[in-house]
Amino acid sequence: MSTKVWLVGAGPGDPELLTLKAVRALGGADVVLIDDLVNPAVLEHCPQARVIAVGKRGGCRSTPQAFIHRLMLRYARQGKCVVRLKGGDPCIFGRGGEEAQWLQERGIDVELVNGITAGLAGATQCGIPLTLRGIARGVTLITAHTQDDSSLNWQALAQSGTTLVIYMGVAKLAEIREQLVAGGLASHTPVAMIENASLPEQRLCRSTLGTLQDDAQAFGLKSPAILVVGEVAAYGAQLAALCGTAKSA
Ligand code: SAH
């Protein structure tokens, strides 16, 4: 009897960015629990499965995490092959770690399947190289949204010399600007705001740290979006045009 739960990343949205392993897991699934950032188009790989939507978008009606845990456990104990399908990568701001641990503590085998995380996908789709020799020696993935309102060490981030990729930042633009400028980043530091990365409706808003709130408002920036902060955010206009997917403001 199979009691495995697959925690699978569905990638940023473009169904072609799904991994082969994710496709295989979906093909064997009896039950698929799907988050609302997942593109439903990927469900073509699991026509046999029962699909249950368990989305949790900020501010909207959401399925409590404890209920999702119990659902996965119940189906796994029935011997069903369960796929928990999440946007991007399950372990990047996706609670993959929490869910895996909770299931393992109850004797359920867990298999984690990578997905392409939205921050990396969005930058590349817009022709923005997150690392660039001589310009950016690394990348830091952060979220501006914390459950307990604990603060990030913005000064350390500002001085890290790495490109910052910020998730869940649309409602926190003022704080991001204030903290990073106070931490030592120049207000003319380039910023790229990428909405609906990798989907046909992807949009790119180029800005700077000092003007990002006004620019986002004029652009009508909406979630889901990621922010790329750093010199590399000014790159890629030509590459993006070649890509043909990104629309510049
Ligand atoms: N596990 C996901 C992240 C979930 S947190 C991943 O690895 O991508 C949700 C946040 O991810 C959103 O608020 C947004 O900041 C970002 N995000 C997810 N999908 C996105 C997309 N297609 N385009 C832009 N940002 C996205």
Side-chain angles (χ1 to χ4, degrees):
M1 189 166 88
S2 156
T3 52
K4 193 186 256 190
V5 174
W6 298 71
L7 299 179
V8 177
D14 178 353
E16 291 198 327
L17 292 178
L18 207 58
T19 66
L20 294 175
K21 198 163 183 178
V23 169
R24 182 163 66 81
L26 285 169
D30 299 309
V31 181
V32 176
L33 305 183
I34 182 175
D35 272 353
D36 50 13
L37 274 177
V38 173
N39 186 344
V42 305
L43 297 175
E44 72 165 283
H45 299 293
C46 57
Q48 78 293 347
R50 173 165 183 206
V51 176
I52 303 172
V54 291
K56 302 164 68 44
R57 287 293 285 280
C60 301
R61 211 158 62 89
S62 64
T63 311
Q65 188 65 29
F67 179 73
I68 298 173
H69 282 170
R70 285 200 303 274
L71 218 51
M72 289 191 289
L73 185 64
R74 188 204 312 157
Y75 285 117
R77 286 194 170 150
Q78 287 172 6
K80 301 258 194 310
C81 179
V82 181
V83 167
R84 169 84 168 102
L85 193 59
K86 293 163 174 286
D89 187 280
C91 291
I92 302 290
F93 309 124
R95 298 187 181 228
E98 266 170 63
E99 292 181 6
Q101 191 181 357
W102 191 88
L103 290 163
Q104 281 161 347
E105 282 168 5
R106 282 152 188 85
I108 305 293
D109 284 341
V110 173
E111 181 140 350
L112 287 156
V113 179
N114 284 105
I116 301 180
T117 189
L120 305 190
T124 300
Q125 297 288 314
C126 291
I128 295 170
L130 290 176
T131 66
L132 195 59
R133 271 194 300 163
I135 306 277
R137 304 173 56 147
V139 188
T140 308
L141 307 185
I142 50 182
T143 175
H145 179 90
T146 52
Q147 219 166 29
D148 55 2
D149 270 339
S150 60
S151 183
L152 288 163
N153 186 342
W154 289 102
Q155 190 170 9
L157 290 167
Q159 294 171 9
S160 67
T162 67
T163 304
L164 305 179
V165 176
I166 306 177
Y167 291 67
M168 293 173 264
V170 175
K172 301 269 181 173
L173 298 179
E175 183 185 353
I176 292 167
R177 174 178 55 79
E178 275 162 30
Q179 297 285 0
L180 288 177
V181 171
L185 276 183
S187 54
H188 57 74
T189 304
V191 176
M193 298 180 263
I194 306 162
E195 185 184 282
N196 285 314
S198 86
L199 290 163
E201 55 272 31
Q202 171 176 296
R203 296 198 304 155
L204 164 66
C205 176
R206 289 188 186 276
S207 180
T208 64
L209 210 44
T211 57
L212 98 172
Q213 259 179 299
D214 289 345
D215 290 343
Q217 198 179 7
F219 187 80
L221 185 77
K222 291 197 193 64
S223 184
I226 52 126
L227 274 64
V228 178
V229 181
E231 293 306 319
V232 295
Y235 280 67
Q238 283 168 325
L239 281 173
L242 289 174
C243 248
T245 52
K247 293 176 213 132
S248 286

